[in-house]
Amino acid sequence: MYTLYGTERSGSAAIEMALIQCGAEYRLVKASSWEKDANRNALRQLNPLMQIPTLVLPDGSVLTESAAIMIFLGLEYRDSGILSTVPSIRAQQMRGLIYIGTNCYASVGIIDYPERWLLSGTEEQYNQLVEGATRRLHQQWDAFSDIFLTTPAWSPQAPGGLEMLACVVTRWGKTRDHLSRSRAAFTASLSETERHPCVSQVIRNHWPTSDLHQI
């Protein structure tokens, strides 16, 4: 059995979707660095950075980083659709997963915690940093849409790891609000992804109100 450490409205939602699609047995442990009632000590022992999702594999080993977890599950459960069985398509899906992890996640980290990046800053400076990081995040998602939307690597009607991770991470930094104006077709494809049973079930649990404009 897998053990997934995470919390509501976090990146662990995407891993839940993938585990459900894989048909894997798993249990959830509420854990985060920002919630006092979460299992912070347990999370710290597994992942010194206290980042979620953190996944404990059946053999007891620890796997972190959303993209790495998705790629692992896609390779472990080859018939799940998390990754394509076609090498050329799978390569682009991996590219997209790493793109989200290295670009979009990084921008969100600045938006959420500007004080980590600007020591002893003023409130005005923090606000400017958040504004710049938000603008950059939206540009990164515009580019993602331009790169992947019309390719075989993007399949909202039969979502895999790439679509699952994208539909979660675009819920942060008011990205959907931006994309609804800049990339309407991509926004529609995210909504299509969220109608898939493995995805919609988790979305309802994590975002019961689904008010994207306030995220």
Side-chain angles (χ1 to χ4, degrees):
M1 179 178 290
Y2 295 90
T3 301
L4 176 61
Y5 288 77
T7 194
E8 292 83 3
R9 301 160 68 97
S10 75
S12 64
I15 306 306
E16 283 186 60
M17 297 170 190
L19 288 167
I20 292 170
Q21 182 151 315
C22 291
E25 293 187 21
Y26 69 96
R27 70 184 184 99
L28 297 173
V29 177
K30 185 176 182 180
S32 71
S33 62
W34 60 88
E35 295 173 301
K36 292 182 178 180
D37 62 337
N39 293 272
R40 289 191 286 187
N41 290 335
L43 178 61
R44 185 181 291 107
Q45 290 178 359
L46 296 169
N47 185 352
L49 294 179
M50 297 186 69
Q51 294 174 340
I52 51 176
T54 290
L55 185 67
V56 180
L57 307 187
D59 65 3
S61 59
V62 178
L63 190 55
T64 65
E65 317 310 323
S66 296
I69 295 172
M70 282 295 192
I71 291 170
F72 167 80
L73 291 174
L75 296 176
E76 186 76 1
Y77 297 88
R78 294 182 181 273
D79 296 328
S80 66
I82 299 300
L83 290 176
S84 175
T85 57
V86 179
S88 59
I89 298 176
R90 185 169 63 244
Q92 291 305 306
Q93 291 170 333
M94 290 179 177
R95 175 192 178 190
L97 288 166
I98 298 301
Y99 179 104
I100 295 173
T102 56
N103 294 295
C104 306
Y105 256 106
S107 294
V108 171
I110 297 172
I111 294 167
D112 288 346
Y113 303 103
E115 69 279 0
R116 294 180 180 177
W117 307 92
L118 185 62
L119 301 178
S120 302
T122 65
E123 192 67 25
E124 181 180 358
Q125 289 172 329
Y126 289 147
N127 290 338
Q128 289 178 342
L129 185 56
V130 168
E131 182 181 352
T134 300
R135 186 183 306 113
R136 181 61 175 165
L137 174 65
H138 296 168
Q139 291 170 346
Q140 289 162 340
W141 278 113
D142 285 346
F144 181 96
S145 173
D146 295 344
I147 294 168
F148 293 103
L149 178 60
T150 59
T151 71
W154 186 256
S155 180
Q157 69 279 6
L162 183 58
E163 294 81 11
M164 292 172 182
L165 189 58
C167 80
V168 168
V169 181
T170 54
R171 286 176 165 264
W172 305 334
K174 297 186 178 180
T175 297
R176 293 283 186 95
D177 193 24
H178 166 79
L179 289 171
S180 68
R181 299 187 301 272
S182 70
R183 300 293 188 278
F186 181 50
T187 303
S189 75
L190 292 168
S191 297
E192 183 178 359
T193 295
E194 292 180 351
R195 290 193 289 270
H196 188 276
C198 291
V199 178
S200 62
Q201 171 183 340
V202 177
I203 291 294
R204 286 194 300 270
N205 291 338
H206 282 256
W207 289 273
T209 61
S210 292
D211 191 350
L212 299 175
H213 298 277
Q214 300 301 317
I215 298 172

